[in-house]
Amino acid sequence: MRVSNLSFRYRRQDPWVLSDVDLTLAPGDVVEIVGRNGAGKSTLLRLLAGLLTPVDGVIADRPRVVGYAPERFPAEQPFTVAGYLRHMAGIRRIDPRAVEIWAERLGMEHLLGHRLPDLSKGSAHKVGLAQALLCGPELLILDEPFAGLDAATRTELPVIIGEVAERGGTVVLSDHQGDLRGFSGLRRVEVGETTAREVAPGPDDPGEAEPAERVTILEVTVTASRARELAARLREEGHTVRMSEAEVAE
Ligand SMILES: Nc1ncnc2c1ncn2[C@@H]1O[C@H](COP(=O)(O)OP(=O)(O)OP(=O)(O)O)[C@@H](O)[C@H]1O
């Protein structure tokens, strides 16, 4: 995906938020957008997601399936969590049973029957994350995804991000709290003074000097009835687990 000479302002009389931005994002990239408050991080994320249109310049080769989780999920909607997520799955032609799988993964199965407007801030935020992840995004855009998350989900989210990247997806996110610092291979793009430029990884990042421990993929065949329990146990131990489509359909 290539961003060329991108410029954007919200209204004709407004100052430019971004001007002449060039950026290349490759499959498997995980890119953190950094910058001070008001620098234009959310604006750039919305442009990348295709929710805003550049005033000048182009965004080419955007992947087909885009998942976007906003900084603040609009919870004032007349749905239950399950109703909303199933509806989103329907729009995206996803097996609705994937809703339960993501709900479990994000620790929100107990919320499926709750009404969206009644959710706490953190729970509403999880619904925003779930709808972005449901579609199996090739481009995943997350605006402050760690904000307000409980400890278990804060630990799980980098694993999920790693899985999306591992299967060739591109992940772009803002992360004020620094939860992704130390993520191996993390690229960083700084937004400020209307420009966006690649900057070196922060001091906590392992970068190239300290390669991540070698990993291997182990395929395990297990009866469908035991799959979820085993997957949960392996995830608790910190492993990345991906289940086959057959299990999603169980
Ligand atoms: N809908 C909008 N209409 C007009 N101006 C906007 C709109 N949204 C954002 N802006 C302006 O665009 C600029 C960039 O805002 P943006 O939200 O992208 O910054 P940010 O880096 O994400 O900030 P923060 O770190 O506080 O979330 C700011 O000056 C903001 O006031």
Side-chain angles (χ1 to χ4, degrees):
M1 175 172 171
R2 276 171 300 105
V3 176
S4 313
N5 301 110
L6 177 147
S7 297
F8 182 83
R9 58 183 169 190
Y10 281 91
R11 280 175 290 267
R12 198 183 280 271
Q13 305 82 349
D14 286 355
W16 292 99
V17 179
L18 297 165
S19 147
D20 266 338
V21 170
D22 291 306
L23 207 58
T24 302
L25 304 171
D29 276 353
V30 179
V31 184
E32 183 190 1
I33 307 294
V34 298
R36 59 168 174 74
N37 290 130
K41 300 179 296 296
S42 297
T43 304
L44 178 58
L45 293 174
R46 289 196 289 259
L47 283 157
L48 293 173
L51 298 169
L52 292 174
T53 309
V55 174
D56 269 320
V58 286
I59 299 180
D61 302 329
R62 179 186 285 111
R64 205 176 42 87
V65 185
V66 181
Y68 168 78
E71 190 172 3
R72 274 180 294 274
F73 176 75
E76 292 306 319
Q77 304 185 60
F79 297 108
T80 61
V81 173
Y84 170 77
L85 291 175
R86 287 199 188 113
H87 176 69
M88 296 309 283
I91 290 173
R92 299 203 150 219
R93 299 177 194 280
I94 311 291
D95 186 331
R97 282 168 288 193
V99 168
E100 274 78 27
I101 289 173
W102 280 108
E104 183 192 333
R105 192 100 195 253
L106 296 172
M108 50 181 268
E109 315 99 294
H110 61 293
L111 298 173
L112 284 170
H114 290 219
R115 293 174 64 249
L116 288 178
D118 298 342
L119 294 177
S120 71
K121 211 151 51 120
S123 299
H125 190 67
K126 285 184 179 183
V127 178
L129 290 174
Q131 61 76 30
L133 290 161
L134 260 184
C135 59
E138 296 162 342
L139 173 64
L140 177 62
I141 309 270
L142 304 172
D143 199 344
E144 296 297 343
F146 293 97
L149 285 187
D150 52 53
T153 319
R154 277 215 318 273
T155 308
E156 184 66 2
L157 193 53
V159 177
I160 294 170
I161 289 170
E163 287 171 10
V164 173
E166 209 176 289
R167 60 156 206 267
T170 302
V171 185
V172 191
L173 76 161
S174 55
D175 172 26
H176 257 121
Q177 284 154 307
D179 281 73
L180 216 60
R181 302 278 146 83
F183 189 91
S184 178
L186 181 71
R187 283 176 63 191
R188 185 166 293 162
V189 168
E190 186 173 36
V191 177
E193 310 295 333
T194 78
T195 63
R197 61 190 180 91
E198 185 108 20
V199 291
D204 299 337
D205 290 338
E208 297 305 319
E210 236 178 81
E213 194 179 343
R214 240 167 61 78
V215 295
T216 189
I217 296 174
L218 173 73
E219 192 173 298
V220 178
T221 303
V222 60
T223 51
S225 59
R226 284 211 51 220
R228 283 187 189 208
E229 175 214 325
L230 183 62
R233 193 137 43 86
L234 288 167
R235 284 192 189 111
E236 259 171 37
E237 287 179 22
H239 304 292
T240 299
V241 178
R242 201 176 312 144
M243 288 198 272
S244 64
E245 291 302 319
E247 169 56 23
V248 174
E250 280 304 312

